[in-house]
Amino acid sequence: MDTHARAGLVKPVVAATIPKVGEVAVRRLRPTDLISEITGLLHRAYAGQMAMGLKPLAGRQDDTITHRRCNSGECYLAVVPDAGHPAGERIVGTILFHEVEPDEGPTWFKNAFVDSFSQFGVDPDLQGIGIGRLLLGTAERRAAECGAKELACSMAEPDAELMRYYLSKGYRLIEHWQWPYTNYRSAILSKTLPGP
Ligand SMILES: CC(C)(COP(=O)(O)OP(=O)(O)OC[C@H]1O[C@@H](n2cnc3c(N)ncnc32)[C@H](O)[C@@H]1OP(=O)(O)O)[C@@H](O)C(=O)NCCC(=O)NCCS
């Protein structure tokens, strides 16, 4: 997936700053993590969809919304060591498992055997090296541990490239949904989790 082209980004990637996927750790959000760093990461990750004229919440939400969303479910962060960062590591990806939304959600999400993830994004400079796979694997593992049979998500239907990404990961189209805060129809996708 050529995410730089999609986002219209021309920023060169400096090879020395690209971590190997083995250096990436996935962990739960901590109270000391900077919400603004997560908001910034999400804005960068969703810039491609914003450039398409879409208005994903994660691409334009402020820190107050990021804070509310991250604390409404289990927020996971992908981090890499970074001596130049005050925390000694920087956040390069995130996924939110089991978000409880204030808005009415799609019918599929209401099934007791279905869990969901959202707010999924990876730093555009580091996409395509497996960080998304680590985060998605974490959400799928947590869903199975919580007893779900299906893991679902909502994605911008017009983003055909993203649809192909999910289809290649075993997700299928279930239904469509219109969230009140977006300007596009969402596709509700779901994956059957492996049994015990
Ligand atoms: C969707 C997203 C989170 C995936 O993260 P990622 O770190 O790029 O994902 P991965 O590197 O694990 O997987 C990329 C897949 O794309 C393909 N790919 C191959 N080369 C690639 C490349 N150069 N760049 C990107 N993807 C590539 C592969 O099929 C790979 O799958 P694999 O797991 O079989 O290897 C990321 O692209 C993103 O942040 N997108 C913008 C925000 C967004 O749309 N989020 C989802 C909202 S529902």
Side-chain angles (χ1 to χ4, degrees):
M1 165 183 347
D2 186 353
T3 44
H4 293 97
R6 281 185 57 200
L9 300 174
V10 290
K11 191 165 61 164
V13 177
V14 181
T17 68
I18 299 178
K20 294 190 174 62
V21 77
E23 295 175 294
V24 180
V26 174
R27 62 163 174 80
R28 278 289 291 273
L29 175 75
R30 295 174 185 150
T32 48
D33 288 316
L34 280 179
I35 291 294
S36 58
E37 192 176 350
I38 301 171
T39 303
L41 165 76
L42 289 167
H43 287 190
R44 291 196 305 283
Y46 283 78
Q49 286 191 355
M50 297 289 282
M52 292 167 68
L54 305 175
K55 293 188 174 174
L57 182 59
R60 59 202 166 86
Q61 69 195 28
D62 61 18
D63 290 341
T64 306
I65 296 179
T66 306
H67 183 270
R68 171 181 60 74
R69 295 187 72 189
C70 287
N71 288 288
S72 76
E74 292 179 18
C75 177
Y76 291 89
L77 303 177
V79 296
V80 294
D82 185 342
H85 191 288
E89 61 179 20
R90 74 191 148 105
I91 300 167
V92 295
T94 187
I95 197 165
L96 180 56
F97 170 65
H98 195 91
E99 176 177 12
V100 177
E101 303 227 23
D103 296 298
E104 171 84 7
T107 314
W108 182 249
F109 283 15
K110 293 177 181 152
N111 289 303
F113 59 87
V114 176
D115 222 319
S116 65
F117 70 88
S118 52
Q119 204 174 253
F120 177 34
V122 169
D123 188 321
D125 284 349
L126 299 177
Q127 289 177 8
I129 63 168
I131 297 173
R133 195 189 320 172
L134 288 176
L135 289 164
L136 203 48
T138 300
E140 291 175 1
R141 176 179 54 78
R142 286 295 298 127
E145 286 170 357
C146 293
K149 303 280 179 257
E150 294 275 342
L151 182 63
C153 70
S154 170
M155 60 153 282
E157 188 190 28
D159 192 340
E161 200 174 344
L162 184 63
M163 178 74 84
R164 280 195 292 278
Y165 170 83
Y166 282 123
L167 294 180
S168 77
K169 302 282 173 275
Y171 289 77
R172 67 194 187 285
L173 177 65
I174 300 290
E175 61 183 347
H176 293 100
W177 189 251
Q178 183 64 56
W179 295 101
Y181 46 78
T182 54
N183 64 345
Y184 52 78
R185 189 169 76 153
S186 292
I188 306 305
L189 308 183
S190 192
K191 176 178 179 174
T192 305
L193 299 168

